[in-house]
Amino acid sequence: MTFSTHTLAIPFVAAALTIAGCGITDPYQTSSPRRQTAATPAATPSTTTSASTAQDPSDLPPGSHAPAPTIPPSAAAAQNKLAASAGEPSPQAALERYAQLYTNWTSSTLGAIQRELASISLDQARAQALQAAASYTNDTVLEHSKVANAGTVVSIAAGQGAAHGQWVIVTSETTTGQGDYSGLPAAVHVTYAQLTHTGHGWIVIAWDPKT
């Protein structure tokens, strides 16, 4: 939860329960969690853009999404060095690792998992994870309801047709919790992803849940 402090009322949480594909998405969104994708996969290290200020999702119109924050140029070198040690020997291995982290969490581990995702990704995926980590730091709603998500990877394949140039990850996930979060059915979800090769291995640079 595809992931500022939220101030929306609890009724919005109930609306969010209709979201298929919990992964790690914003529990206060009232529409399907969809992420912006970054550049297409490249065989060379990708570059980051200039700094910008992330908009508080609570200030946006219903159904809108705050843009993922970009990374200051001064942090790019340190970021690339950090992620280099996280490179995997194949695209499939990188996506498997990312997906397992992304879909398996509890309300008490969510922030830490987002920071771990940031440490093994670059560009849009990293900025997205850092933003989500900050958002969930003080999320008492999820903690009060003891929300947890469990997922397994069904398949990882190179995209075809409209998804050409991307990777398609299919996961089977179940969300559990108390109150409004109890009794949610298991569901299959699709995510588009992109990677780059840093010279040390494959790194996720974009993570875009579709369903």
Side-chain angles (χ1 to χ4, degrees):
M1 292 178 191
T2 52
F3 7 29
S4 59
T5 301
H6 298 289
T7 58
L8 298 183
I10 290 179
F12 282 94
V13 177
L17 297 180
T18 61
I19 293 175
C22 283
I24 303 177
T25 51
D26 189 338
Y28 300 96
Q29 290 174 348
T30 55
S31 63
S32 297
R34 305 188 77 155
R35 310 284 185 183
Q36 300 270 330
T37 55
T40 54
T44 56
S46 56
T47 57
T48 52
T49 54
S50 59
S52 65
T53 302
Q55 186 174 4
D56 187 336
S58 63
D59 295 332
L60 296 172
S64 299
H65 302 275
T70 52
I71 305 301
S74 60
Q79 192 174 291
N80 287 330
K81 182 178 180 180
L82 176 66
S85 62
E88 296 291 338
S90 69
Q92 291 87 346
L95 293 168
E96 173 81 23
R97 180 182 181 186
Y98 197 96
Q100 289 290 354
L101 282 170
Y102 187 89
T103 59
N104 290 278
W105 52 268
T106 68
S107 55
S108 60
T109 64
L110 193 48
I113 286 177
Q114 286 286 16
R115 289 188 291 274
E116 185 171 357
L117 287 172
S119 74
I120 61 171
S121 60
L122 292 172
D123 295 357
Q124 179 264 4
R126 178 181 171 86
Q128 177 176 291
L130 290 173
Q131 184 183 43
S135 297
Y136 287 106
T137 298
N138 299 310
D139 196 323
T140 57
V141 175
L142 290 180
E143 183 63 33
H144 177 74
S145 298
K146 304 300 180 184
V147 182
N149 198 73
T152 58
V153 176
V154 176
S155 67
I156 297 174
Q160 304 293 323
H164 179 71
Q166 304 183 79
W167 288 83
V168 180
I169 302 91
V170 178
T171 56
S172 177
E173 302 176 39
T174 302
T175 302
T176 58
Q178 299 175 1
D180 289 332
Y181 287 91
S182 64
L184 297 179
V188 172
H189 308 294
V190 176
T191 297
Y192 289 0
Q194 296 175 14
L195 304 97
T196 190
H197 196 282
T198 66
H200 296 273
W202 290 95
I203 300 285
V204 173
I205 61 172
W207 191 261
D208 183 18
K210 294 298 183 182
T211 63

